Amino acid sequence: MSAEEVLQKLSQESPLTSTQLAQRLNCDHQKIVGSIKSLECLGDVISSKLETIKKWQLTQEGEMVAKDGSHEAIVFYLVPTAGIPQAELMKAAGSVGKVGFSKAMSAGWITLDKTAVPPLVRRKVESVQDTTQVNLAAICSQGGDVVAEKEKVELKKRKLVQEITEKIYILEKGSNFTTSITKAETDLTPEMISSGDWKNISFKPYNFDALGVSPDGGTLHPLLKVRSEYRQIFLEMGFTEMPTNNFVESSFWNFDSLFQPQQHPARDAHDTFFISDPSTTTLTNQEYVEKVSEIHSRGGFGSQGYGYDWKTEEAAKNLLRTHTTAVSARMLHKLAQQDVFTPQKYFSIDRVFRNETLDATHLAEFHQIEGVIVDYGLTLGDLIGVLYQFFQKLGIHQLRFKPAYNPYTEPSMEIFSYHAGLGKWVEIGNSGIFRPEMLLPMGLPDNVRAIAWGLSLERPTMIKYGIDNIRDLVGHKVNLKMVKENPLCRI
Ligand code: PHE
């Protein structure tokens, strides 16, 4: 049954009710209602009016009576002309016996002859008219109207019929009536506008009552939430964000410019992901490359260098950056190209890659948070002071520093904070003052110092969100429900 068939019927006969249609098309009423609903959306092809009507319907017992006769009639016909003992009659009548006997008695169809031994039930009339059965059959085939109200009430009392309310539609042809449906367009396209077709097209009207699809996207991953909090802290402290949009970096900026010797173990393929295609890049700033080569192999600015044969080919190797300090190096070099030096505060939060053994807390990629301040005459005291200020904004008040080694900073300090939950001091970052061997070849004035620190984004995120396995935070095993439902980050 299609909506078109409904229109077909309506073109022959109008108005029509949905129940009539269900009869004519020999299908379920609910299906007709569905077709009416979709026809209503076409814009006055049909006009429909909803009405509630009351209807008489036979109960299950009523259906039986309509077929086999009323209880009293069954009892009557079981009584032979010679009469029958009551007990025998009741046995023969079975479940309809009790009601049938009393109804037949009060109708005057049968009588109980107590003079006989045992007493006999006898017919009192020759034949009977089973109006109960007749009425029920009439209601069943023609509806309740053909039977008088009083009789229906009686049938209802006997639970042979029930009154039900039904919602039906009364359909008429609408002003745009047609028997062939053209599907209404749902979208206005640029083509319709340019060709002018839109003027003749019928569009589906908006359904402002539709609930719509609840939007499924747009959830921030916990790492991004924590990142935006850190970013906020840096911005509050007057830092500018560095451009970190290149994951592929040259060894030159990742290591050499940072005065990390070419034999340093971190430059091994066991620790660093080198790119195989293209495996190398062209180092463009020849003058600066020359200065880096000089400081590594022969020293300068009061430093004796490392005294080895620095090779451009090694520096030209492409890799996935192992730290965002590569970005800081590029920025400091750029800053050094200014005619007049201006102090700066920079930060970055982005992805870095290391060829690490994977475990519950380490992946081959993670995010680094890095801060750099470059100004005249900065000291270790400034670094410690800034670190206290920075971590205080994160709610961390107790700090300790441990001397460390980085090829590009001197002095260098690991940063520890007291973790009340764990009841111990945990390492939270690394820091230091960039070496003159890094800053002076760039061309920065020699009384300019740069203090810097770095930490991972993953560790504070895992602590904040109570995640103890990094694989629950990053990678293909992450539960998207966790991402959708985790709370806002407030530090
Ligand atoms: N680059 C260091 C690391 O990867 C962090 C650091 C940044 C250390 C700046 C000192 C200064 O761990």
Side-chain angles (χ1 to χ4, degrees), residues 97-152:
K98 216 174 139 207
V99 176
F101 182 80
S102 80
K103 289 267 177 205
M105 283 291 278
S106 57
W109 291 356
I110 54 170
T111 177
L112 187 61
D113 179 3
K114 288 188 181 150
T115 60
V117 183
L120 288 178
V121 180
R122 292 187 198 282
R123 288 192 182 184
K124 210 175 162 185
V125 290
E126 277 294 299
S127 64
V128 296
Q129 176 82 45
D130 189 359
T131 45
T132 309
Q133 182 185 27
V134 171
N135 284 341
L136 286 173
I139 292 173
C140 187
S141 61
Q142 289 149 272
D145 293 346
V146 293
V147 175
E149 200 62 30
K150 221 181 98 197
E151 290 184 309
K152 277 185 292 202

Side-chain angles (χ1 to χ4, degrees), residues 322-325 328 354 366 368-372 406 408-409 412-413 430-434 451-455:
T322 64
H323 53 185
T324 46
T325 316
S328 302
R354 288 184 194 174
F366 64 99
Q368 244 179 7
I369 305 169
E370 182 148 324
V372 184
N406 295 313
Y408 38 89
T409 52
S412 310
M413 305 187 301
N430 188 357
S431 66
I433 301 182
F434 283 133
I451 56 176
W453 69 100
L455 50 142

Side-chain angles (χ1 to χ4, degrees), residues 298-443:
R298 285 182 291 279
F301 310 104
S303 166
Q304 60 184 30
Y306 293 118
Y308 71 97
D309 187 12
W310 189 88
K311 291 206 166 60
T312 317
E313 306 83 73
E314 190 60 40
K317 283 184 184 168
N318 279 327
L319 46 74
L320 290 178
R321 70 173 174 227
T322 64
H323 53 185
T324 46
T325 316
V327 179
S328 302
R330 280 178 178 273
M331 288 301 283
L332 290 172
H333 175 259
K334 202 170 154 206
L335 189 62
Q337 309 317 303
Q338 284 185 325
D339 287 340
V340 184
F341 169 79
T342 47
Q344 295 292 343
K345 293 191 273 191
Y346 293 131
F347 79 96
S348 67
I349 310 172
D350 210 344
R351 209 170 280 239
V352 300
F353 306 85
R354 288 184 194 174
N355 197 355
E356 299 227 37
T357 318
L358 313 184
D359 63 26
T361 50
H362 294 87
L363 287 181
E365 57 178 276
F366 64 99
H367 291 75
Q368 244 179 7
I369 305 169
E370 182 148 324
V372 184
I373 303 177
V374 48
D375 202 348
Y376 293 104
L378 292 173
T379 66
L380 194 66
D382 290 305
L383 176 59
I384 292 173
V386 169
L387 289 175
Y388 267 107
Q389 198 194 350
F390 176 77
F391 283 102
Q392 186 188 311
K393 284 183 179 279
L394 295 167
I396 297 171
H397 302 280
Q398 282 172 283
L399 292 182
R400 271 185 189 170
F401 303 98
K402 182 173 146 187
Y405 172 76
N406 295 313
Y408 38 89
T409 52
E410 183 59 36
S412 310
M413 305 187 301
E414 278 170 1
I415 311 162
F416 286 75
S417 84
Y418 188 74
H419 193 291
L422 299 174
K424 62 174 185 184
W425 291 87
V426 292
E427 196 199 326
I428 52 170
N430 188 357
S431 66
I433 301 182
F434 283 133
R435 293 186 78 106
E437 289 97 327
M438 170 184 159
L439 300 186
L440 294 175
M442 289 177 174

